[in-house]
Amino acid sequence: LITFDCQRFINFYMDSHKNGVVEIADQAVSAVHPGKVSVVGQDITEIPTHLGQQYGKDTKELAISFCRLTHISNLEAFDSLVSLVLDNNEIGSDNNDFPSISTLETLWVNNNNIQYLDRFLASIYDKFPNLKYLSMLKNPCCPNYFVGKGSADYKKYRAEVVKEIPTLKFLDASPVTQEEYSDAEKLRQFVRRPDPEQYHRPGEGFAVPEDKALPHDVLTEVSSDKPSFGRTKYVYYGRQSEGNRFIVDKNL
């Protein structure tokens, strides 16, 4: 275990503080057991790059808790992690840069500020292919009794998480059941992530049927600096409005 001596940390704070990010000095770290690093109660908003450069190669368990982390970055050097604990920080849903770590099995992000579940899951999707234990309790996106939500909301939350991370064996405070695996598989069949190649595909056909569009001769002969008009067979009906579909009163 590697822990931080608070008094030594304060002594080196002014010399090692750059651009709002604390770079941990060697004198502020004392090694107890190899393979484990723990940072507790420090005024840091992101993981210091120096920490990874010094200890990343040999670290299996990394815990950074009760700090002020607002996002995740600078984890690239910790490429052999098995456990990552980031409890009691200020980590949000966005701007998290998780590297691919094939060895990671445990990720705890309890008591942070993760509000949007889909955004956070997208940041770890496919990054940890062997992830088995995930805990997100006491986050706004986790609708359990800690945030005043009922069991129905929490069940939907668990199904969504297991759908995105099917390797999980344990979520929050309880193991993933066979029923939850089945529910997640059903969701996966109906809700699929879009293929990134689809984003750049050109549009096909006409937004309006060709027989109802403006005549081609009108479109080609119109000068760009003169007003013009044309006739079309297309007739607008109020019920086709996207806004009107929310109005249930047919008399309006």
Side-chain angles (χ1 to χ4, degrees):
L1 178 65
I2 298 174
T3 58
F4 283 84
D5 186 309
C6 292
Q7 186 58 49
R8 291 180 182 176
F9 184 89
I10 293 172
N11 293 339
F12 290 94
Y13 181 85
M14 295 304 296
D15 293 334
S16 60
H17 192 280
K18 298 178 181 179
N19 300 323
V21 179
V22 176
E23 296 184 357
I24 307 300
D26 291 340
Q27 296 91 330
V29 181
S30 59
V32 180
H33 295 293
K36 298 182 180 180
V37 174
S38 177
V39 183
V40 180
Q42 303 303 326
D43 187 18
I44 53 177
T45 58
E46 66 178 47
I47 300 171
T49 56
H50 178 70
L51 192 65
Q53 294 169 357
Q54 187 73 23
Y55 303 105
K57 182 179 179 180
D58 301 319
T59 300
K60 303 297 182 183
E61 300 180 17
L62 174 62
I64 305 179
S65 304
F66 294 98
C67 297
R68 295 180 56 236
L69 295 182
T70 58
H71 61 280
I72 301 305
S73 60
N74 302 327
L75 276 176
E76 293 80 5
F78 294 93
D79 55 1
S80 299
L81 280 181
V82 176
S83 173
L84 177 59
V85 177
L86 302 168
D87 294 347
N88 300 290
N89 286 287
E90 300 173 11
I91 300 169
S93 311
D94 303 312
N95 303 317
N96 293 311
D97 184 18
F98 285 99
S100 295
I101 306 177
S102 60
T103 56
L104 192 72
E105 296 182 357
T106 299
L107 175 62
W108 285 6
V109 286
N110 300 300
N111 196 23
N112 278 279
N113 191 33
I114 302 171
Q115 298 188 32
Y116 302 103
L117 180 64
D118 57 340
R119 297 182 189 177
F120 184 79
L121 292 179
S123 69
I124 63 176
Y125 179 76
D126 276 352
K127 298 296 181 66
F128 312 130
N130 290 306
L131 189 64
K132 296 180 175 62
Y133 308 96
L134 173 65
S135 186
M136 302 177 64
L137 292 171
K138 300 186 74 174
N139 278 283
C141 72
C142 180
N144 55 29
Y145 56 89
F146 286 116
V147 292
K149 298 294 184 178
S151 58
D153 292 328
Y154 185 62
K155 183 178 180 180
K156 293 178 182 178
Y157 151 84
R158 289 181 64 90
E160 180 64 23
V161 174
V162 177
K163 175 178 74 71
E164 295 296 330
I165 311 177
T167 58
L168 286 183
K169 304 296 183 184
F170 214 94
L171 176 58
D172 296 334
S174 59
V176 180
T177 65
Q178 188 58 47
E179 181 183 359
E180 288 175 328
Y181 284 125
S182 300
D183 291 343
E185 180 59 31
K186 293 177 183 177
L187 281 174
R188 202 174 294 114
Q189 292 176 359
F190 289 103
V191 182
R192 298 183 182 274
R193 287 181 174 272
D195 184 352
E197 296 181 358
Q198 301 271 341
Y199 298 148
H200 304 292
R201 290 181 58 187
E204 300 178 358
F206 292 90
V208 177
E210 190 172 2
D211 61 330
K212 296 183 179 180
L214 289 173
H216 289 287
D217 56 346
V218 174
L219 296 175
T220 55
E221 294 176 2
V222 171
S223 174
S224 60
D225 58 349
K226 295 181 180 180
S228 61
F229 67 93
R231 298 183 60 187
T232 175
K233 297 178 183 179
Y234 179 78
V235 180
Y236 169 78
Y237 295 97
R239 65 176 178 271
Q240 295 170 330
S241 168
E242 284 296 308
N244 289 346
R245 66 191 178 94
F246 295 103
I247 300 176
V248 296
D249 191 341
K250 295 182 180 180
N251 295 321
L252 295 178

